[in-house]
Amino acid sequence: MERKVGTTSRGIRAPIIRQGDDLAQIVVTSVLEAAESEGFALNDRDVVAVTESVVARAQGNYAGVDAIATDIKKKLGGGTVGVIFPILSRNRFAICLRGIARGCKKIVLMLSYPSDEVGNELVSLDRLDEAGVNPYSDVLTEAKYRELFGENLHPFTLVDYVKYYGDLIRAEGCEAEIILANNPRAILNYTKTVLTCDIHSRARTKRILKAAGAEVVCGLDDILTESVDGSGYNERFGLLGSNKATETTIKLFPAECGDLVLDIQKRFLDATGKHIEVMVYGDGAFKDPVGKIWELADPSVSVAHTPGLEGTPNELKLKYLADNDFAGLSGAALKEAIEERIRSKGDLAGSMASQGTTPRRLTDLIGSLCDLTSGSGDKGTPIILVQGYFDNYTM
């Protein structure tokens, strides 16, 4: 019988992961038990993906507010610090901000507007237009922001982040001044010591600040790059990718886990004889069209992956072929012609017949699929099995 199903993505339930657990064995056992229970088989080039959250938990990669404060004081001096471009998130940044404030005498908090880097709005573009505000050049004080726009609650969390972040800073005994601006140079009118908290644009922001005369510049990726008094750390990403664990602790992005994905791959090969691709994934890369929020609060969609997941798709656009090259065919003749073109497609870089296919890395595409499948709540599926992703119309 002709195959009728293409790519599938399954959330695989697993035990609650604790520090020190043999995560590789849990992943393999959970997938094999699910296959037996649900009656499906594993195939070569299936993808097993594990969310970064349980990897960091198994590693025990946690840090407390005091560890953050100690590193902030050491690297930024403990005086007045400009903290610029944080995302608006109780989960992603609030606990980090507690630690930052605990390590400073004063914080000048500079928020980007109308939204943060991942799309959380402080005010709409329409309201900026009505007020005659130019977000590319205008610097707003907190008082001016309130005068023009009043209180603005996040549409999903109902939090006024300007007030919330100001209160967090002051609760740590630190003086707070809040401004809104998008040019990183604006912070240098307040202090020459800067902690830049943007994620994907951080290298550019650091470069601009240093060229403009900043004396000390760090990013979140420079904080907790090594253990402080026994804390967890991330040598590559520091505080980037961290999540709230408790009101005083964060779970950091996983430490190096390239060995983990290779170990899981080998265990699947030993158990099944199948060559399974494996990745550890973070936030996916997609946008909510209503709330305008991107994911991508992690510094990378793929924390680690096996070599078979390198590269980008090499795919033909079937509707292009049907509407152009084979416009005069239909039925079995059309199907046969398209299948033959797929079999002989070769490298499609620059080809018109591949236009409109998604020009992104495989790890970003598959990681996004996995993140959407697993969700971030109580589904209990930190492992995702993707099957048929590398198949095409001929398979």
Side-chain angles (χ1 to χ4, degrees):
M1 180 182 292
E2 183 181 16
R3 180 175 166 186
K4 297 297 183 182
V5 176
T7 300
T8 61
S9 178
R10 289 183 174 93
I12 305 297
R13 290 185 175 174
I16 302 300
I17 307 300
R18 294 295 188 188
Q19 180 176 348
D21 284 349
D22 185 347
L23 184 58
Q25 188 58 49
I26 290 172
V27 169
V28 173
T29 299
S30 297
V31 172
L32 294 180
E33 288 180 349
E36 181 179 1
S37 172
E38 300 298 320
F40 61 83
L42 297 181
N43 306 300
D44 286 326
R45 297 219 76 190
D46 285 351
V47 180
V48 170
V50 186
T51 178
E52 58 82 21
S53 177
V54 297
V55 176
R57 191 181 304 142
Q59 292 175 340
N61 203 13
Y62 292 84
V65 167
D66 285 339
I68 298 172
T70 297
D71 214 26
I72 287 288
K73 191 173 295 185
K74 172 185 174 183
K75 292 174 178 174
L76 293 159
T80 299
V81 176
V83 176
I84 73 172
F85 302 155
I87 64 172
L88 308 176
S89 173
R90 295 168 298 175
N91 174 46
R92 290 288 190 169
F93 188 68
I95 307 305
C96 293
L97 183 58
R98 286 188 190 278
I100 295 164
R102 193 171 292 185
C104 300
K105 180 179 180 181
K106 177 180 178 178
I107 284 178
V108 182
L109 181 67
M110 190 171 93
L111 303 173
S112 56
Y113 75 102
S115 63
D116 68 8
E117 181 180 2
V118 297
N120 295 291
E121 276 191 351
L122 286 173
V123 61
S124 71
L125 278 169
D126 290 335
R127 293 187 69 190
L128 290 185
D129 292 342
E130 292 167 3
V133 172
N134 183 344
Y136 298 103
S137 60
D138 293 349
V139 178
L140 305 180
T141 63
E142 183 178 4
K144 188 64 176 179
Y145 167 74
R146 294 300 188 192
E147 176 190 331
L148 292 172
F149 306 115
E151 180 184 62
N152 292 279
L153 304 182
H154 189 282
F156 296 147
T157 64
L158 302 181
V159 172
D160 180 333
Y161 276 98
V162 174
K163 180 179 186 302
Y164 177 58
Y165 279 178
D167 288 347
L168 278 179
I169 294 168
R170 297 181 188 100
E172 295 298 330
C174 179
E175 185 182 350
E177 182 175 359
I178 300 176
I179 60 173
L180 286 75
N182 292 309
N183 185 337
R185 300 173 186 87
I187 196 65
L188 300 180
N189 294 320
Y190 299 82
T191 177
K192 305 293 186 185
T193 301
V194 185
L195 176 69
T196 181
C197 302
D198 45 345
I199 305 161
H200 305 288
S201 55
R202 62 188 184 275
R204 176 177 182 269
T205 302
K206 290 178 187 179
R207 173 175 55 79
I208 289 172
L209 287 167
K210 290 173 182 176
E215 295 171 0
V216 179
V217 179
C218 288
L220 286 182
D221 57 327
D222 299 308
I223 307 302
L224 287 190
T225 52
E226 56 186 8
S227 181
V228 174
D229 299 327
S231 74
Y233 65 97
N234 189 296
E235 186 175 353
R236 181 180 177 192
F237 293 121
L239 290 178
L240 288 179
S242 62
N243 286 270
K244 175 181 178 179
T246 72
E247 293 300 326
T248 58
T249 60
I250 56 169
K251 177 187 60 59
L252 293 156
F253 212 49
E256 175 57 41
C257 48
D259 290 345
L260 173 67
V261 297
L262 293 175
D263 184 19
I264 293 172
Q265 184 179 60
K266 183 179 184 303
R267 294 192 195 204
F268 272 117
L269 183 63
D270 292 344
T272 68
K274 303 297 181 182
H275 183 86
I276 306 297
E277 303 295 350
V278 183
M279 70 181 293
V280 175
Y281 67 95
D283 271 350
F286 46 83
K287 184 176 182 178
D288 170 8
V290 176
K292 303 179 182 64
I293 300 169
W294 292 93
E295 284 288 300
L296 288 176
D298 285 327
S300 176
V301 176
S302 174
V303 186
H305 54 269
T306 48
L309 295 178
E310 292 287 348
T312 57
N314 185 55
E315 299 174 346
L316 290 162
K317 195 74 168 180
L318 295 190
K319 66 182 181 182
Y320 178 89
L321 295 178
D323 291 343
N324 291 272
D325 295 28
F326 307 126
L329 300 179
S330 62
L334 175 60
K335 183 175 185 293
E336 184 178 338
I338 287 178
E339 287 179 348
E340 179 56 34
R341 181 63 64 83
I342 291 172
R343 293 188 189 99
S344 61
K345 64 186 176 181
D347 185 355
L348 297 172
S351 168
M352 288 294 288
S354 68
Q355 67 176 345
T357 58
T358 308
R360 283 189 277 167
R361 294 180 299 183
L362 290 168
T363 50
D364 292 336
L365 292 164
I366 296 170
S368 298
L369 172 61
C370 293
D371 193 26
L372 285 166
T373 303
S374 62
S376 57
D378 57 8
K379 289 182 172 57
T381 56
I383 305 162
I384 305 299
L385 173 64
V386 179
Q387 298 189 288
Y389 193 86
F390 295 101
D391 295 350
N392 60 48
Y393 191 54
T394 69
M395 298 175 177

